[in-house]
Amino acid sequence: MRVSGEREKGGRGLRVVYGACPHDCPDTCALETHVDESGRAVSVRGRSNHPVTRGWLCAKVNRYLERVYHPERVLYPLRRSGPRGSGQFTRISWDEALAEISERWRQIIDQHGAECILPYSYAGTLGLVQGGVTDARFWNRLGASQLVRSICGYAAEEAVMLTIGGRLAPSPEDVVHSKLILIWGSNPASTAPHVVPFLREAQRKGARVVVIDPIRTLTARSADQHIQPLPGTDAALALSMMHVIVSEGLHNEAWIEQHTVGWEQLRERIMQYPPERGAAITGLARETIVELARAYATTKPAMLRISDGINRHTNGGQTIRALASLPAVLGQYGVRGGGLMYSTSDWLKWDKAALGHAHEESCPPPTRSLNMNRLGAVLTGEADPPVYSLYVYNSNPAASTPNSGKVIEGLLREDLFTVVHDLFETDTARYADIILPATSQLEQVDLHKPYGHLSLQYNTPAIKPLGEARCNWDVMRSLAAAMGFEEPWLQQDAESVIAEVLAATAGKQPTLQGITLERLQAEGSIPLSIPENERVPFQDGVFRTPSQKVEFYSEQAQAKGYDPVPDWVPEVETRPATARIAGKDELLPLLNPAAHHFISSTFANQPTLIAKERTPTLRINPEDAKVRGIRSGQMVKVSNERGWCHLVAEVSEDVRPGVLATTTVWWPKFSPDRRNVNWTTSDRLADFNGGSTFYTNLVSVESVEHNETEDSPHENAVGVFVSR
């Protein structure tokens, strides 16, 4: 019998099940899972007929079955049986787990109110059901605190909305039409690898690729030019480029007049950033800025590619405002192969009421909002009234949230009742009172709206859940029943949820024309319904701002208390560009870009992928290493007022002088001294929208003497600890 989303593999006794990668990556690959007669998945591949996936998967998801069948998966509910953080648990039944959770929550609600319960989640599993609906419905009905999910791109998202009114990037296929591609603070070779073949094709056709990044990333290695400004100075570089463009009359005055507001105010701001000042701020040569500006201004079409890493500074919002203004100065918006390539998220927006049902009479009024970047502070006194219960899913905050020392301090509270729903005993789960077993993507239903291309994708379960694992939404349904909530929208199965949201959204979103649940289940992946003459964002010259123009001057920004015109402001923690090489005690900015083989902390417990990443390292330029007496392979201590961690030094010219870098997110349990870099990162909020500031992080670096590492010897740090 054929099942939706499945087809027979001729003559081999294998079923092929269509699915979608659920992880936090813009590629949102179309998958096909091969399942044998016993019901075991034997391979996971990229679908060859998908316009972006094109039959291959990244280095991470290629090893997906190792995640599904990992010997350390949590398969049954567990209750803590030892001291908090000891990792000692005893198996219990689902009925026992649900009864204990609901009883504790009723006590908290009776004594303190439902807002003292906090759900904490992010993008460990994306999707309409296992992400969006799970993040909303049950918690709205419960009246729990609202989580501001701002750890990734919140500052950038708001900046793009304020400037052009929508996250409407072109599909990656349009890159091949570009003549110049500026990849600014982005490393798609590791974080969106399915863009790379289009970059290569563009290069073969004569396009020039320029990477702007303090780090010589995998993407930068194959670029035609690599420019390395100091961290947090990107807005100054963009404004200086605009100064050159305007001073030399290379801007598009007619387009600006017709399609923008606030040009006079922006022009006045631009004139404050001659290339000499830009050079002093960025640490680049004046000639580099001038040549880059001229190349960008005289090559059309030119694509500006950005992603979320560059917004994780205290000046991240204004940085993105400046970058989003650059294409408008030259009239590059609305041109195939030109404009801004950030996110495709707003080509389709789910109906909010159908998603969360917050409007229902049974839902209490929205409660307070707590910023996820401030979790440590929230759990250690910032929240009033305190949070007495934390429910964690789709996230591993002990590893991936800033200022981890504070997070651990909060998780150790004896009066905090913590529940973690995950596939593994993560560093966070070790502090839980109850651990609930979660399903993998091969074991659950979902629908995926990408943010890096233009196809909607259905995920059909390929195998039965292992052990007693349950998906996020099924746990929400069980918790709703345990709490005595009888609303039907809390008990729908996943297919019914998808059908409801699709139907509610279709009347408002023409991109869903002709797309039905039945088609999605049968075909797996369907392109959004976008007419060919509308596929180039803003081709009609109409932007989604209040003025329907690019807003160099934004009244919305002013109303929010931001500078209404793009500008550069020094980071809160910064180092002057003139201090090229100084004494060994000087603090240096530490960047923590994504690892090639992990997606945040996901996959960071798989031995084969850990082996490929090797060890938590600190890349340091030879000049900075020499001053500090540091050599490659040596253990170093990275520290500041927030905390410290040990890393293995890698002396490398991949980072410019005066800059440090370490890839993330290593699980603390697989790191020296069970600490990772987030013990040093800041939970300070960005200039826009409560965004994160992981990259505004000044640290000291020093070599570690032998007696400091007796409990975590050097050989452990470089490999042996992996097998713990």
Side-chain angles (χ1 to χ4, degrees):
M1 180 180 71
R2 289 187 63 187
V3 180
S4 296
E6 300 182 358
R7 62 182 176 86
E8 294 297 326
K9 184 75 173 178
R12 293 178 57 190
L14 296 179
R15 291 182 296 115
V16 178
V17 184
Y18 295 149
C21 178
H23 297 293
D24 192 7
C25 168
D27 293 1
T28 316
C29 287
L31 308 179
E32 58 177 48
T33 302
H34 294 204
V35 183
D36 68 17
E37 293 177 340
S38 71
R40 184 179 179 88
V42 297
S43 69
V44 177
R45 304 176 184 176
R47 286 187 64 180
S48 59
N49 61 346
H50 187 274
V52 174
T53 304
R54 296 189 173 189
W56 62 279
L57 298 175
C58 69
K60 302 168 272 282
V61 182
N62 255 333
R63 316 299 298 224
Y64 199 76
L65 291 186
E66 294 178 13
R67 175 175 173 82
V68 175
Y69 295 113
H70 196 298
E72 295 180 5
R73 266 194 70 175
V74 174
L75 298 178
Y76 307 97
L78 302 171
R79 176 190 290 124
R80 179 168 61 88
S81 56
R84 194 175 300 275
S86 67
Q88 298 176 36
F89 295 92
T90 301
R91 179 177 169 179
I92 59 175
S93 69
W94 269 102
D95 286 344
E96 290 175 295
L98 293 167
E100 183 167 342
I101 294 168
S102 59
E103 180 181 356
R104 291 291 297 271
W105 282 357
R106 287 192 185 93
Q107 292 173 355
I108 289 169
I109 292 169
D110 289 345
Q111 295 176 24
H112 308 287
E115 66 180 347
C116 293
I117 300 169
L118 176 66
Y120 191 96
S121 67
Y122 197 62
T125 296
L126 295 172
L128 171 62
V129 180
Q130 311 303 341
V133 171
T134 297
D135 288 345
R137 288 194 185 183
F138 172 72
W139 307 112
N140 288 340
R141 175 62 182 85
L142 187 68
S145 282
Q146 306 282 310
L147 183 71
V148 181
R149 293 181 171 86
S150 53
I151 204 165
C152 184
Y154 245 43
E157 291 167 12
E158 177 148 87
V160 169
M161 297 297 287
L162 291 172
T163 310
I164 60 176
R167 295 169 295 169
L168 296 175
S171 190
E173 298 101 309
D174 276 5
V175 170
V176 302
H177 300 287
S178 303
K179 299 301 182 186
L180 175 66
I181 304 156
L182 296 187
I183 302 176
W184 202 318
S186 179
N187 180 24
S190 293
T191 60
H194 287 79
V195 171
V196 175
F198 299 107
L199 289 173
R200 297 291 169 270
E201 184 178 347
Q203 284 178 303
R204 288 193 295 271
K205 291 181 176 181
R208 187 161 169 257
V209 174
V210 179
V211 170
I212 302 171
D213 198 308
I215 305 169
R216 188 170 181 260
T217 61
L218 190 58
T219 304
R221 291 174 188 172
S222 59
D224 298 289
Q225 183 181 8
H226 179 205
I227 296 171
Q228 294 178 277
L230 288 167
T233 65
D234 304 276
L237 176 55
L239 290 163
S240 290
M241 288 174 62
M242 292 185 223
H243 187 286
V244 174
I245 290 167
V246 172
S247 297
E248 298 187 3
L250 300 175
H251 58 297
N252 191 330
E253 191 77 49
W255 196 93
I256 291 170
E257 175 67 26
Q258 185 176 357
H259 296 293
T260 73
V261 295
W263 172 237
E264 290 305 316
Q265 292 95 326
L266 178 61
R267 184 170 183 147
E268 181 180 348
R269 184 64 49 82
I270 288 168
M271 290 300 105
Q272 299 172 20
Y273 287 88
E276 294 79 11
R277 185 186 180 200
I281 293 169
T282 63
L284 299 173
R286 176 189 183 280
E287 294 73 19
T288 299
I289 297 174
V290 172
E291 290 169 6
L292 177 63
R294 288 172 179 166
Y296 182 61
T298 59
T299 310
K300 294 186 178 181
M303 182 79 76
L304 175 56
R305 159 84 184 195
I306 63 172
S307 52
D308 286 322
I310 201 171
N311 92 138
R312 296 175 193 144
H313 296 266
T314 54
N315 59 12
Q318 281 289 42
T319 293
I320 302 301
R321 282 271 283 144
L323 293 176
S325 297
L326 254 178
V329 171
L330 295 165
Q332 288 275 11
Y333 282 114
V335 178
R336 188 177 296 276
L340 180 69
M341 189 176 187
Y342 170 55
S343 170
T344 62
S345 293
D346 290 342
W347 286 103
L348 172 62
K349 292 183 178 181
W350 298 125
D351 182 88
K352 189 174 181 180
L355 194 77
H357 282 262
H359 62 283
E360 304 285 353
E361 289 185 6
S362 58
C363 289
T367 58
R368 64 182 175 183
S369 294
L370 299 175
N371 191 303
M372 68 185 309
N373 293 305
R374 300 286 298 169
L375 178 63
V378 163
L379 295 181
T380 57
E382 184 172 89
D384 184 21
V387 169
Y388 288 107
S389 181
L390 184 71
Y391 185 96
V392 179
Y393 61 101
N394 286 350
S395 185
N396 181 13
S400 58
T401 299
N403 203 357
S404 291
K406 275 287 184 186
V407 175
I408 300 303
E409 181 184 342
L411 290 173
L412 283 169
R413 277 175 41 203
E414 286 299 329
D415 63 344
L416 180 70
F417 177 63
T418 300
V419 181
V420 174
H421 183 212
D422 207 297
L423 283 77
F424 301 101
E425 187 189 302
T426 63
D427 289 281
T428 307
R430 289 179 64 85
Y431 296 92
D433 296 282
I434 300 287
I435 302 177
L436 303 175
T439 48
S440 71
Q441 184 72 343
L442 301 193
E443 302 158 75
Q444 60 194 23
V445 171
D446 217 336
L447 182 63
H448 291 266
K449 178 175 75 75
Y451 62 95
H453 59 75
L454 300 176
S455 292
L456 191 61
Q457 293 167 183
Y458 187 84
N459 189 78
T460 298
I463 61 174
K464 293 181 179 179
L466 301 189
E468 295 180 4
R470 296 186 186 181
C471 69
N472 291 335
W473 178 237
D474 282 350
V475 176
M476 294 297 109
R477 296 165 67 194
S478 298
L479 287 170
M483 294 299 293
F485 301 156
E486 298 179 348
E487 291 80 358
W489 45 271
L490 288 172
Q491 292 303 327
Q492 292 173 306
D493 60 24
E495 291 88 349
S496 299
V497 169
I498 292 170
E500 178 194 351
V501 177
L502 277 174
T505 306
K508 305 172 184 177
Q509 297 281 313
T511 51
L512 284 180
Q513 184 176 356
I515 299 177
T516 64
L517 176 59
E518 292 72 24
R519 276 193 67 197
L520 287 163
Q521 289 173 326
E523 300 173 34
S525 178
I526 301 175
L528 295 177
S529 181
I530 305 172
E532 187 59 34
N533 64 350
E534 297 177 13
R535 291 177 68 87
V536 176
F538 313 114
Q539 189 171 358
D540 58 1
V542 178
F543 294 81
R544 297 190 179 184
T545 58
S547 65
Q548 297 190 322
K549 298 181 178 183
V550 176
E551 297 198 350
F552 296 139
Y553 183 98
S554 169
E555 292 183 357
Q556 291 184 100
Q558 186 179 45
K560 291 173 178 285
Y562 311 148
D563 188 330
V565 181
D567 198 4
W568 173 76
V569 177
E571 293 185 271
V572 173
E573 298 178 22
T574 192
R575 170 182 184 270
T578 53
R580 180 176 168 81
I581 297 295
K584 65 178 183 178
D585 296 328
E586 182 190 3
L587 300 179
L588 299 177
L590 173 60
L591 301 178
N592 46 319
H596 188 71
H597 297 93
F598 308 153
I599 303 178
S600 188
S601 71
T602 302
F603 300 106
N605 65 324
Q606 290 181 213
T608 55
L609 298 180
I610 291 174
K612 290 178 182 295
E613 287 294 322
R614 297 185 301 151
T615 190
T617 60
L618 179 76
R619 279 181 282 176
I620 181 170
N621 186 272
E623 297 180 39
D624 296 310
K626 183 179 179 180
V627 170
R628 291 163 177 77
I630 293 171
R631 64 186 185 278
S632 284
Q634 183 178 19
M635 185 76 76
V636 295
K637 182 178 182 180
V638 176
S639 62
N640 57 22
E641 73 278 8
R642 290 178 286 273
W644 59 268
C645 67
H646 284 151
L647 300 169
V648 177
E650 180 183 330
V651 180
S652 170
E653 292 186 350
D654 283 351
V655 289
R656 60 162 293 158
V659 176
L660 306 169
T662 182
T663 55
T664 58
V665 173
W666 283 88
W667 286 22
K669 69 188 293 185
F670 297 133
S671 302
D673 297 292
R674 294 184 179 269
R675 295 177 177 223
N676 69 9
V677 68
N678 280 326
W679 283 73
T680 71
T681 53
S682 175
D683 55 6
R684 185 185 289 114
L685 302 181
D687 54 347
F688 282 18
N689 211 23
S692 62
T693 59
F694 287 98
Y695 291 4
T696 298
N697 184 24
L698 285 181
V699 300
S700 64
V701 186
E702 58 186 319
S703 61
V704 176
E705 300 298 330
H706 178 72
N707 61 2
E708 290 187 59
T709 59
E710 288 180 351
D711 294 333
S712 180
H714 176 74
E715 57 267 24
N716 265 4
V718 295
V720 174
F721 67 88
V722 168
S723 61
R724 286 180 186 163

